[in-house]
Amino acid sequence: MAYRDLVTRPVLAWSAVAVAARMPVAMAPLALVFLVRERPGGYTLGAVLAAAYVLGEIVAAPVLGIRMNAERARPHLAAGLAVGALAFAGLGLGPAGTGHPALLGALAFLAGAGPGAAPGGMRALLTGMVPEKAVTQALSMESVLTFAIWAAAPALATGLALGAGPGVPLLLAGGLMGASVAGLWALPVGWKAAGDADGPGEPMRRVLVRAWPVYVTGAASLTLLALAELILPALLEQRGVAIGWAGPLLAGLSIGSAVGAFVYGLRGGWPGPLPVQSLVLILGVSAGVVLVAVLPWAGAIAPALVLAGLLQAPAMLSRNLALRQILPPNALAAGYSVMYAAVGAGYAASGSLAGGLLQVVPPSSAILWGVALTLLLTAVGAAGEWRRVRAAAPRSPADPADPAGAAGASPVAGAGAESRDRARTD
């Protein structure tokens, strides 16, 4: 299926709602810094508010995702986005962020926590709207849209904060998120959820824990993005390059990611199992980041970052597709939400490690230590996936302990039929 087959009224409506819901998320950290930067110790307070916002996302995403009803997801999504819209508006309405730091921190936490499950719910809603054969293209389209939002958000937040007022970006964020609540009524109320993952035999939490290797490798893929974004300015200074080049270089990284997501979606399936695809892609991203750290020529940093971006988006896409293979439909929103929290935690962990290492080692060495953390997480996740695949492999027909084998039946064929049935309902 081609991308043009996604140009339908429901998918276009979903895209509009997604932009309104995600632009505030992309604007929030920088907008919070600009809100309080003119206060004494403003930059430190801004960093604390941004951390509170991200903490709200990480804590709330899995908790709210688990409680989302797949077939009636709209009320859950609307309530969460409405809380986020009110929190953003509360932050922006105060005079230049002069409120008490504790109040601002609480509002920042709510702005992140309220819509924490919205990305996962919206993704599950999108994949439920398209045929099974178009899921890869739909997820690739979502990734391209997300990278476009994240490329535009910093410039929008900066321009509004400096040109119109420090609270204006947050007011816009609240308005956009409020508009996304209204837009939900142009979308389906939920998606079909076959099976009962919350029955007495297998609670939802156990279903989600089954996919833990996917979350670990997902977090590993984003630790590399944190390294590129957070250490690049210091690395440029180490190389004797003007720090102003950080913006264009990171824009190249985002453009590379958007192109990589688009190319990945040109095919319905790429060679090799999804765990192998993910492993190869993460290793490729790691190689690109290592090149950024070790090559002494400033001109080599740009192509290395573009290479890393080209492979990073497909790495995350392969992780989201792997979740669809492992989890039943009524657990997808929760699974995507746990993934959202996991990659956020990976980003924060890598950023904290890099920040601490910069106090004792040069930026290039800090990047290499961060890559080592990524490879460790990747190895742990890959080992877990290998164990899961081996445990799920059907027994040989010759196995005397297998009643089907004793009767001459083919468990492999049965597994294939079960897989085909699952594909129709997933």
Side-chain angles (χ1 to χ4, degrees), residues 102-127:
L103 175 61
L104 295 177
L107 288 172
F109 183 88
L110 283 176
M122 288 291 291
R123 181 175 297 133
L125 197 60
L126 172 64
T127 56

Side-chain angles (χ1 to χ4, degrees), residues 216-217 219-231 282-283 285-291 293-294 345-358 360-379:
V216 172
T217 48
S221 70
L222 211 70
T223 59
L224 295 166
L225 182 62
L227 292 173
E229 290 185 342
L230 300 178
I231 305 185
I282 292 175
L283 292 177
V285 180
S286 300
V289 175
V290 168
L291 289 176
V294 302
Y347 188 99
S350 180
S352 300
L353 173 65
L357 288 172
L358 283 176
V360 294
V361 298
S364 55
S365 299
I367 290 178
L368 295 178
W369 278 103
V371 171
L373 172 63
T374 296
L375 295 178
L376 175 62
L377 292 174
T378 302

Side-chain angles (χ1 to χ4, degrees), residues 62 66 203-212 215 327 331 334-335 338:
I66 288 174
M204 175 71 82
R205 287 178 177 80
R206 186 178 301 171
V207 173
L208 295 175
V209 168
R210 185 193 308 156
W212 71 264
Y215 308 137
L327 300 179
V338 173

Side-chain angles (χ1 to χ4, degrees), residues 131-246:
E132 180 67 24
K133 63 182 180 180
V135 167
T136 299
Q137 285 76 20
L139 290 175
S140 296
M141 180 273 293
E142 180 207 21
S143 185
V144 172
L145 185 67
T146 299
F147 280 111
I149 291 171
W150 279 90
L156 181 60
T158 301
L160 288 175
L162 297 180
V168 173
L170 292 164
L171 289 175
L172 175 63
L176 286 172
M177 197 161 277
S180 73
V181 175
L184 287 174
W185 269 258
L187 306 180
V189 67
W191 58 93
K192 186 177 180 181
D196 183 8
D198 209 11
E202 193 169 22
M204 175 71 82
R205 287 178 177 80
R206 186 178 301 171
V207 173
L208 295 175
V209 168
R210 185 193 308 156
W212 71 264
V214 183
Y215 308 137
V216 172
T217 48
S221 70
L222 211 70
T223 59
L224 295 166
L225 182 62
L227 292 173
E229 290 185 342
L230 300 178
I231 305 185
L232 182 61
L235 181 69
L236 292 178
E237 288 189 341
Q238 181 187 359
R239 296 282 188 265
V241 181
I243 197 171
W245 281 102

Side-chain angles (χ1 to χ4, degrees), residues 55-69:
L55 180 63
E57 289 185 301
I58 293 173
V59 170
V63 174
L64 298 179
I66 288 174
R67 286 163 172 75
M68 189 175 293
N69 184 335

